[in-house]
Each structure stands twice: as C-alpha cells, then as structure tokens.
C-alpha cells in the first residue's frame, strides 16, 4: 500500500507534492481492479492494456499508469492526464488534478512500475526479504513458509504465481506498515531474470527447491536452468542465508556460488535439517521424523507426497533461522496443510477423484503417481502432455509412462506428447485394452463420465496449457475430507 504522493514524488523525482490518499492494490488485469486501485496499462504481445483502461475505472480503479497517447479514445475524454514527460509543466498540472480518477503518462509504464516498486520495498529497511526459486514447489514452499513464520511475524507474500518482472513489483507495492517479512517467489525463464528480480527485492534469505526440466525449451538444459536459479544465491549478502536442497546435486553445488551462510535440507543425515522414517499414509498424509541440531520430533502432516516433506523441511529451516521454536514451527506446518494438499472429490458415481491438474513436470507427475500407488481402489491415471521440456521431452514422457505402467490399472492420456506415456506403459506391463489415448480433455471427460464406478480412484495430472483442470469439475459431486 502506498500514497498518491509517494507515487508522484518517485515518478517526478520531486519532494514538493503531497497527497496522502492510499492506493491499496496495483493490477495489470482490468478485471481484477478494485475500488481505489491503480491500473498499469501494459502493452504485451497478445493484448494492449490501454484498451482496458475504461474497464479498469469501471471496476473501481482510481489511477491508470499509461505510456501511450489515448486522446483518440472518446471513452477517456473526460479523464484528466498528468503527462510526466513534460517536465516542469507536468508538475504544475498535478496541482490541478484533485479528484479521482486520473491517468499518469510515463515513457514506459512497466519500467515505471518496477522502479517505483524497488523504491517502495527499500522504504522498509527492517524487512526480512525471502526469495524462493526452483523448478517445482515454489508456490507450496511459499504458502507453507508463510504459515510457519506467521506464528511470530507479520508476513506478506505474493499471491498466486505473481513471480515475474510484473508480478513481483505488484506484490512489493502491497507492502504496508507493520509487515516484518516479505516472501517473494522468483520465476525463471531465461538467464538474468532472477538477477533482475533481486535488484527490485534484494533478499536476505534464499530458498532453492530443485532443478527440474521445466522451461528447458527456453533455457536449453538443466545445467542452464541451474545457472539461472543460482542467481538467487549469488545475490545474497554475506550476512544472508541460503536454504538449499541437499538431495538435488545441482542445488547442492550452489553452496559454492554464494557468500551467504548455507543450510542444507533433505532426506539424509548429511543435511543440516533432515527427515527420515518417512511413511506415506495415502490420503491421510505423511508421517516422518524431523531432525535439527541434535533434536528430533515425529511429525504427522496431512500433506500428500514425499516432496511435501521436503517443503516442510525448507520452511522449518527458515523458521529456525529466524528464531522460532519447535512448537511454533510444528504449529505453523499443521496450519499450512490446507495450502498443500491436493483436492479429493467424489464423482457423480462415487469414484474418488484426486485433482492435481493445475500443472505438471516430470518430478511432480512422478510424485503424483507415487501417491496413487498408496491409495486403495481401482487406480486410473489421467495424464496430459508435460510442456516446455525441450530436449528432455521424449525421455521424460517415457519415464512417466514406465511408472504409470506399474501403478495404474487403467491409463488415459491426453495430447500428442502423452502418447509416449501410453506407449511406455504398454511396454511395462499395462494391458493395451486398459490404455486410452485422447486428443482433448473433453473426450477424456466423456469417457470417464460413462465408465466410472465407486471402486475407482482417479488421478488427473497435466500441464496447465492442456486444460486438465476442466475434467474434475465436470465429474465431481462434492468434496471429501482428507
């Protein structure tokens, strides 16, 4: 949250403007604008935000940050514009603009957003800034870590997947008085991305979850992905802290690239904080023993999959580093389970549907199949294409298919890439009459609707672009407790 005066003073590099009216939210999506918010008109490859300024104002926005001439748009004719490109004359015009709504024109709306966010974040010198990156598990780590740290601190975190050069600045501008910790996911697509995000929100603590194959289509290889993710630990200060996954060799090696102190977490006693005696309880969650500094505790969390145990370890590591007790950490972990567990619902026929459809990588899909293996019933795996894998595409789909052949009683695949999953499953023991290949989620949904029974347990998993998330709502009856 920031004031109109803070915004204008930054954009004009002037200290002579005072306006205490608060702006609670910044958005680049006009549909998400609320009363009092600021809309940033961004010009992208697919859409131009200047086409949606009026809609943002109708939804309650009070300021629009623009970078194009909108004088030919009759719907905006009555909205005052402060053109900050005009220098001193713009400062004089500011005092004539008192009422909302109004527009502020700059050379580049996104660069102005980023610059202002950097200054706003810097205005909280006592803030603990935590950056999180990794190929899989960033969001779940963020959510669980927030619950742990809330046992003692006032925590701010990015919503959803606001982890980009636009999403992170928006998150930063929501910081308000009283916040003590800020948790930022930091996404990576190409080298330099995380360096740039760290320049806006300089972290004192950095967590790297793993190095997978997601985005290999753009980055080129796991080695290049690791190099990009390592930008986070390279940006940590000497008195900072790197929380690294010991079980991932590419992450473990990042300890050599940071001047900060390193804490390793993992499933081996060689890590500083580790878990053993790990037991999957199906839909009842996971039980394990957590060890740290010669102390240990048996923990039962209603989360699904071994990867969730690693998430708990990384969150606990930060908690210990910031002075939390075992009791506070365990309490926070138990609160965080609602953010981590998959959604289990009943179909119209009484079949149990496990919804892990939001996205997919080779690691997360393998973890989902491990979960399916633990659940009693007639196991049906519905697997869609895994996207953006680049050179790892064929091998990754094959390995998932080999696992599916061992776990599933019936396999449905969706998409061209997933046909390789079907081929591998057939070669690894699954009968061909139990394998079905579809081109669209609608076709798979129709098949399931006609064939599900009360004995079936259905896992749905695939990349977001495959729209796998449309399947469960079309089949479900009501949620079931886990």
């Amino acid at each position: 949250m920031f004031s109109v005066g803070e915004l204008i003073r930054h954009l004009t590099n002037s200290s002579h403007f005072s306006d205490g009216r608060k702006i609670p939210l910044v958005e680049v999506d006009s549909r998400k604008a609320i009363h009092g918010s600021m809309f940033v008109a961004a010009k992208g490859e697919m859409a131009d935000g200047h086409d949606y300024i009026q809609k943002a104002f109708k939804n309650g926005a009070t300021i629009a940050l623009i970078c194009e001439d909108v004088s030919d748009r009759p719907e905006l004719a009555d909205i005052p514009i402060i053109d900050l490109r005009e220098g001193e004359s713009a400062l004089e015009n500011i005092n004539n603009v008192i009422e909302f709504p109004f527009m502020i024109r700059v050379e580049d709306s996104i660069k102005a957003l980023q610059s202002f966010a950097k200054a706003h974040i810097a205005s909280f010198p006592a803030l603990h800034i935590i950056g999180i990156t990794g190929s899989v598990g960033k969001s779940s780590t963020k959510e669980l870590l927030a619950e742990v740290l809330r046992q003692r601190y006032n925590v701010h975190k990015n919503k959803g997947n606001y982890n980009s050069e636009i999403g992170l600045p928006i998150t930063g501008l929501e910081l308000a008085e009283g916040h003590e910790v800020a948790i930022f996911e930091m996404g990576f697509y190409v080298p330099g991305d995380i360096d740039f995000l760290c320049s806006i929100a300089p972290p004192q603590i950095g967590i790297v979850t793993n190095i997978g194959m997601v985005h290999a289509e753009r980055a080129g290889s796991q080695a290049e992905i690791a190099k990009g993710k390592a930008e986070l630990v390279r940006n940590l200060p000497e008195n900072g802290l790197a929380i690294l996954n010991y079980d991932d060799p590419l992450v473990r090696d990042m300890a050599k690239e940071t001047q900060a102190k390193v804490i390793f977490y993992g499933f081996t006693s060689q890590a500083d904080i580790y878990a053993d005696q790990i037991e999957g309880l199906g839909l009842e969650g996971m039980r394990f023993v957590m060890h740290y500094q010669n102390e240990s505790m048996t923990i039962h969390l209603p989360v699904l999959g071994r990867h969730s145990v690693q998430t708990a370890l990384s969150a606990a590591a930060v908690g210990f580093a910031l002075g939390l007790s075992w009791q506070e950490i365990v309490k926070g972990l138990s609160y965080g389970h609602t953010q981590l567990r998959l959604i289990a619902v009943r179909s119209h026929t009484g079949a149990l549907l496990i919804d892990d459809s939001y996205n997919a990588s080779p690691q997360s899909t393998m973890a989902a199949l491990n979960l399916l293996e633990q659940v009693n019933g007639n196991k049906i795996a519905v697997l869609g294409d895994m996207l953006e894998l680049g050179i790892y595409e064929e091998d990754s789909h094959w390995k998932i298919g080999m696992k599916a052949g061992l776990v599933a009683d019936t396999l449905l695949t969706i998409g061209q890439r997933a046909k390789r999953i079907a081929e591998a499953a057939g070669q690894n023991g699954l009968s061909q009459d139990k394998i079905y290949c579809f081109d669209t989620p609608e076709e798979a949904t129709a098949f399931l609707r006609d064939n599900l029974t009360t004995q079936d347990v259905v896992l749905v998993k695939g990349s977001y672009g495959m729209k796998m998330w449309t399947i469960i709502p079309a089949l479900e009856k009501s949620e079931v407790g886990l």
Side-chain angles (χ1 to χ4, degrees):
M1 181 179 291
F2 56 92
S3 70
V4 176
E6 183 185 354
L7 172 67
I8 299 296
R9 288 194 298 272
H10 175 78
L11 294 178
T12 61
N13 197 26
S14 169
S15 59
H16 301 299
F17 186 80
S18 178
D19 188 326
R21 290 177 291 179
K22 297 295 184 180
I23 305 297
L25 182 72
V26 177
E27 266 299 345
V28 291
D29 186 338
S30 62
R31 296 167 297 182
K32 297 179 181 178
I34 63 171
H35 178 72
S37 62
M38 180 173 81
F39 174 68
V40 179
K43 189 165 185 177
E45 296 180 2
M46 305 298 294
D48 184 351
H50 295 81
D51 296 333
Y52 301 93
I53 296 172
Q54 184 188 36
K55 183 174 181 180
F57 282 140
K58 284 185 176 180
N59 287 340
T62 53
I63 297 176
L65 191 64
I66 67 173
C67 58
E68 286 192 355
D69 182 8
V70 294
S71 60
D72 61 341
R73 299 174 186 262
E75 71 274 14
L76 302 175
D78 297 329
I79 309 295
I81 299 178
I82 302 169
D83 193 338
L84 297 183
R85 303 171 308 147
E86 297 175 354
E88 292 296 325
S89 61
L91 297 180
E92 295 175 5
N93 291 333
I94 288 174
N95 292 321
N96 297 323
V97 178
I98 300 175
E99 300 298 327
F100 288 143
F102 60 87
M103 295 178 280
I104 301 174
R105 187 174 180 185
V106 294
E107 288 288 352
D108 187 314
S109 56
I110 295 303
K111 287 183 178 178
L113 167 71
Q114 293 163 342
S115 174
F116 181 44
K118 180 177 180 178
H120 184 69
I121 293 169
S123 70
F124 297 84
L127 187 72
H128 295 287
I129 298 179
I130 302 170
I132 302 173
T133 194
S135 298
V136 179
K138 292 187 297 296
S139 294
S140 56
T141 300
K142 170 198 66 180
E143 297 295 345
L144 191 54
L145 177 58
E147 292 298 336
V148 168
L149 297 184
R150 279 186 182 130
Q151 304 311 306
R152 186 173 295 193
Y153 296 101
N154 186 346
V155 178
H156 176 58
K157 60 182 175 68
N158 58 295
K159 56 193 174 186
N161 61 347
Y162 274 39
N163 60 14
S164 67
E165 74 280 2
I166 295 176
L168 185 142
I170 287 175
T171 299
L173 287 172
E174 293 174 355
L175 282 167
E177 185 177 353
H179 281 137
E180 299 168 295
V181 174
I183 305 173
F184 295 102
E185 280 186 55
M186 295 186 172
F188 164 81
Y189 290 95
V190 295
D193 282 350
I194 294 177
D195 275 335
F196 180 71
L197 297 178
C198 288
S199 74
I200 297 173
Q204 294 92 40
I205 299 175
I207 303 173
V208 184
T209 62
N210 48 56
I211 302 300
M213 301 156 192
V214 177
H215 309 313
E217 194 169 60
R218 299 173 193 165
S221 69
Q222 278 188 293
E224 286 300 310
I225 294 170
K227 185 177 178 181
K229 302 289 187 184
E231 291 172 7
L232 174 58
V233 300
R234 288 197 293 267
N235 275 280
L236 295 174
E238 188 175 357
N239 63 347
L241 179 63
I243 309 292
L244 302 179
N245 182 354
Y246 189 89
D247 300 329
D248 187 320
L250 291 172
V251 176
R252 185 168 66 240
D253 285 348
M254 291 181 190
K256 305 170 186 174
E257 301 188 49
T258 183
Q259 59 183 335
K261 177 184 176 182
V262 174
I263 292 180
F264 289 114
Y265 68 92
F267 294 151
T268 169
S269 59
Q270 292 175 284
D272 300 288
I273 179 169
Y274 68 96
D276 61 12
Q277 301 179 50
I278 302 166
E279 183 182 3
L281 306 175
L283 295 180
E284 296 301 315
M286 302 294 294
R287 184 163 49 229
F288 58 96
V289 178
M290 184 164 69
H291 304 263
Y292 182 66
Q293 292 187 344
N294 299 318
E295 295 186 65
S296 61
M297 183 177 291
T298 299
I299 298 174
H300 176 203
L301 296 180
V303 297
L304 303 182
R306 286 174 63 90
H307 61 289
S308 295
V309 177
Q310 286 190 320
T311 301
L313 291 174
S314 65
V318 178
F320 284 126
L322 293 182
L324 272 67
S325 67
W326 275 88
Q327 289 72 26
E328 288 173 315
I329 288 170
V330 172
K331 185 177 180 182
L333 292 175
S334 65
Y335 283 169
H337 78 273
T338 56
Q339 301 290 345
L340 292 179
R341 67 183 180 185
L342 309 182
I343 299 172
V345 298
R346 290 290 178 185
S347 75
H348 63 295
T349 62
L352 181 63
L353 310 175
I354 302 175
D355 185 359
D356 194 15
S357 60
Y358 178 74
N359 216 336
S361 68
Q363 296 94 326
S364 65
T365 305
M366 195 68 74
L369 287 170
N370 287 335
L371 169 65
L372 183 63
E373 192 171 20
Q374 297 170 5
V375 180
N376 294 325
N378 182 56
K379 300 173 177 61
I380 301 176
V382 184
L383 304 177
D385 287 355
M386 297 180 293
L387 307 178
E388 298 186 48
L389 297 182
I391 60 175
Y392 303 106
E393 180 178 288
E394 288 195 10
D395 184 59
S396 295
H397 285 85
W398 184 265
K399 288 179 179 177
I400 292 301
M402 295 295 283
K403 178 67 174 181
L406 295 176
V407 171
D409 297 304
T410 301
L411 173 66
L412 281 63
T413 68
I414 299 173
Q416 291 302 310
R417 297 170 181 84
K419 287 180 180 179
R420 189 159 174 81
I421 296 177
E423 182 183 354
Q427 288 200 19
N428 206 28
L430 187 59
S431 174
Q432 289 295 329
D433 63 357
K434 295 295 183 179
I435 300 174
Y436 303 86
C437 297
F438 299 99
D439 293 324
T440 68
E442 289 80 10
E443 293 171 348
T445 300
F447 175 87
L448 291 168
R449 188 182 294 115
D450 292 340
N451 291 281
L452 288 181
T453 70
T454 56
Q455 287 76 41
D456 293 331
V457 179
V458 184
L459 169 71
V460 180
K461 183 75 172 171
S463 284
Y464 185 82
M466 296 303 295
K467 298 183 179 180
M468 305 290 286
W469 36 268
T470 62
I471 296 174
I472 297 294
L475 299 174
E476 73 179 295
K477 181 179 181 182
S478 62
E479 290 195 17
V480 298
L482 299 185

